[in-house]
């Protein structure tokens, strides 16, 4: 087994695109609205693709735009082969792909295999078919406990709050069986023990691959297969700080949370992989919330996923020792199975990092929760400064990076949203106790002052209203403006490509480090992060890019700033 250092330097020499790509996440309802109804759509996206090409990204991952009652913003799919009319048509998607390809941008779509919508034909047929039928076997239908089946079959809790089981009324009007839903009651979990489910998904995967998509992001990839017999859980939520699963051995974790990370899930993944490999040059990325990293690395073994999101990195403490450890562990653990690491700071499920990094660690809501109106107000100037630095540090790393729409504008979390606008099922299911994820999903500001939604459309309609402070982050106010966050991202992506950092030879540069700084060299580029409090003297070399606008005047790197230097 190579040493840690050998792993670091030998890392990521293969040429496959997904190992090095910068992948930009589009949340379709909030990116750009072509028809002015207040909800983003495919025509809106197509009309704005040039701006993504000029940003310098390699690929786009789309959150789901398939037919859906939108109870969980499209993660409740009722037809996997149709674009939802609120976003457009399948033909609109053909146009979008063609334009993206002409700009050299790859397309990744979101597949949701853990559950469907309760409006999916499979679920409707299962309801009608009755107890014990082959149709019900598509899902987890069980009799309840208690004298009259009045208690749920086990103690599992929904990730969005409340029980993970709902009881149905049978066709004859009597109270009947219960069905499992790890998320909202409108999202029944599929039964992956039933071989018909794998057959169905083979075809769904092929459908979009044939249309030319370059790959899939796989939703809840760690949850598809449940432990046989559906035994009670002893830990209900992997995000509970007082009972982290990562402290348990793998066998203990599989028992404690019988719906996450079960061994059988890997067979399902291998089956997906076979389908992906029928096509040239495609890839899939797992949304697997597994921790610690050696456990997560099992998802990216050679015949499984190509990539998985690195949530331990995303949630790492903002300090040098913690970041250094997680980066080393990521490169080493993924490297052991021949995979490259991914890096990510924000997505549609968490607090935008320009705000998150302005919150004291003890006040930071747990992953998946937003900022509650009664929480301490974040320090947004500090948050933005740190976010720019954290991103500059991330984009110099070898491997693939994921960006979430709007972070290139330095967009903060819209934590001010009033309760009446909130749509995340978490908010309703916990009666507002957990505020949910709407704050990171607000439509983007494109042109300051164009309608109430700053150019998201021209009508000003907006499914979630932008807070007043979004205007100053509008893209047109940043375009071409030296020192703006948008220009910083463009510069980072340009230099990243020029120096081939995605596939670079990486090492920690201890000679440039003290206890308040972190430094690495990737190819010929030194990346130095000053966490503060004091300014540090710049190492010699040509400054390629810096988060600190007036660096050359000052000659020193201030706190919470990053510089890239060509050695
Ligand atoms: C994933 C998605 C999230 C969704 C959930 C249920 O975690 O990222 O947005 O609510 O799965 O599909």
């Amino acid at each position: 087994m190579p040493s840690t250092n050998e792993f670091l330097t030998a890392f990521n020499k293969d040429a496959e695109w997904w190992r090095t790509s910068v992948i930009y996440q589009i949340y379709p309802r909030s990116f750009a609205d072509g028809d002015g109804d207040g909800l983003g759509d495919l025509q809106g996206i197509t009309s704005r693709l040039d701006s993504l090409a000029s940003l310098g990204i390699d690929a786009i991952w789309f959150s789901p735009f398939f037919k859906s009652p939108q109870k969980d913003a499209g993660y409740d799919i009722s037809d996997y082969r149709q674009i939802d009319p609120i976003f457009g048509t399948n033909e609109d998607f053909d146009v979008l792909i063609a334009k993206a390809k002409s700009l050299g941008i790859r397309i990744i779509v979101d597949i949701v295999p853990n559950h469907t919508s309760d409006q999916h034909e499979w679920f409707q047929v299962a309801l009608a078919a009755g107890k014990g039928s082959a149709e019900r076997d598509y899902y987890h239908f069980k009799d309840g406990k208690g004298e009259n089946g009045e208690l749920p079959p086990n103690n599992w809790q929904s990730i969005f709050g409340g029980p993970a089981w709902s009881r149905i009324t049978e066709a004859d009007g009597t109270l009947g069986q219960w069905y499992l839903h790890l998320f909202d009651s409108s999202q029944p979990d599929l039964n992956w023990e039933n071989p018909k489910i794998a057959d169905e998904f083979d075809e769904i995967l092929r459908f979009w691959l044939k249309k030319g998509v370059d790959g899939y992001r796989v939703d809840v990839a760690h949850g598809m297969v449940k432990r046989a017999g559906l035994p009670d859980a002893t830990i209900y939520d992997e995000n509970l700080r007082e009972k982290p699963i990562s402290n348990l051995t793998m066998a203990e974790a599989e028992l404690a949370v019988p719906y996450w990370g079960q061994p059988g899930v890997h067979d399902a993944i291998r089956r997906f992989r076979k389908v992906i490999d029928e096509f040239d040059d495609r890839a899939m990325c797992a949304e697997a919330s597994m921790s610690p990293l050696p456990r997560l690395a099992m998802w990216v073994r050679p015949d499984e996923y190509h990539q998985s999101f690195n949530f331990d990195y995303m949630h790492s403490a903002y300090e040098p020792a913690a970041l250094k450890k997680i980066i080393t562990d990521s490169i080493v653990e993924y490297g052991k199975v021949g995979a490259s690491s991914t890096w990510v700071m924000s997505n549609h499920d968490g607090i935008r990092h320009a705000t998150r990094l302005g919150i004291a660690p003890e006040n930071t809501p747990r992953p998946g929760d937003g900022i509650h109106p009664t929480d301490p107000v974040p320090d947004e100037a500090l948050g933005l400064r740190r976010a720019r630095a954290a991103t500059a540090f991330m984009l110099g790393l070898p491997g693939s990076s994921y960006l979430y729409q709007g972070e290139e504008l330095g967009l903060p979390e819209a934590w001010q949203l009033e309760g009446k606008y909130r749509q995340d099922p978490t908010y309703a299911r916990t009666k507002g106790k957990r505020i949910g994820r709407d704050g990171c999903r607000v439509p983007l500001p494109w042109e300051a002052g164009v309608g109430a939604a700053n150019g998201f459309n021209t009508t000003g309609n907006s499914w979630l209203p932008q807070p007043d402070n979004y205007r100053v982050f509008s893209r047109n106010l940043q375009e071409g403006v030296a020192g703006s966050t948008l220009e910083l991202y463009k510069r980072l992506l340009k230099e990243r490509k020029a120096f081939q950092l995605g596939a670079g030879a990486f090492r920690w540069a201890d000679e440039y480090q003290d206890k308040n700084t972190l430094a690495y060299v990737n190819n010929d580029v030194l990346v130095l992060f000053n966490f503060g409090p004091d300014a540090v003297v710049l190492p010699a070399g040509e400054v390629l890019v810096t988060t600190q606008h007036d660096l050359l005047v000052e000659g020193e790197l201030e706190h919470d700033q990053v510089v890239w230097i060509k050695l």
Side-chain angles (χ1 to χ4, degrees), residues 72 75 112 115 160 183 187 217 219-220 287 348-349 437 441:
D72 182 24
Y75 281 93
V112 184
H115 47 265
F160 294 157
F183 294 89
Q187 295 166 295
R217 176 264 190 193
D219 191 62
V220 197
E287 188 219 21
H348 67 294
D349 287 330
R437 303 159 292 174
R441 299 174 172 181

Side-chain angles (χ1 to χ4, degrees), residues 364-524:
T364 305
R366 66 182 197 168
D369 277 4
I371 299 169
H372 204 275
T374 56
D375 288 343
V377 173
D379 179 341
E380 292 196 326
L382 180 67
L384 178 55
R385 183 179 175 116
R386 288 180 165 177
R388 288 163 50 108
T391 301
F393 197 70
M394 172 179 92
L395 288 174
L397 292 169
S400 164
S401 279
Y402 277 81
L403 305 178
Y404 177 49
Q405 66 177 40
E407 66 167 271
E408 76 280 19
L409 306 176
L411 216 56
E413 180 83 356
W415 52 268
Q416 310 86 337
L417 268 183
E418 289 171 54
K420 65 178 181 198
Y421 296 116
R422 301 245 168 213
Q423 297 198 17
D424 184 349
T426 309
Y427 183 74
R429 288 183 67 86
T430 62
K431 302 194 169 53
K433 203 163 144 246
R434 287 171 55 199
I435 201 83
R437 303 159 292 174
D438 295 298
C440 64
R441 299 174 172 181
V442 170
L444 297 188
W446 289 88
E447 284 94 24
V450 174
N454 297 303
F456 169 60
N457 50 31
T458 49
T459 57
N461 293 333
S462 186
W463 72 282
L464 291 174
Q466 289 175 358
D468 294 342
N469 65 354
Y470 267 35
R471 189 180 194 282
V472 297
F473 291 93
S474 295
R475 197 176 204 277
N476 71 326
L477 300 184
Q478 302 195 37
E479 191 89 64
V481 176
S484 71
T485 303
L486 178 62
E487 290 303 324
L488 170 69
Y489 269 67
K490 284 189 193 169
R491 188 68 194 260
L492 289 165
L493 294 178
K494 190 167 162 241
E495 300 295 359
R496 175 186 162 90
K497 223 165 243 159
F499 287 88
Q500 301 188 345
L501 301 186
F506 172 95
R507 70 172 174 85
W508 289 112
D510 294 337
E511 65 276 26
Y512 294 102
Q513 261 165 222
D514 65 23
K515 68 177 187 346
N516 297 323
T517 59
L518 205 51
Y520 61 79
V521 175
N522 186 3
N523 286 348
D524 289 333

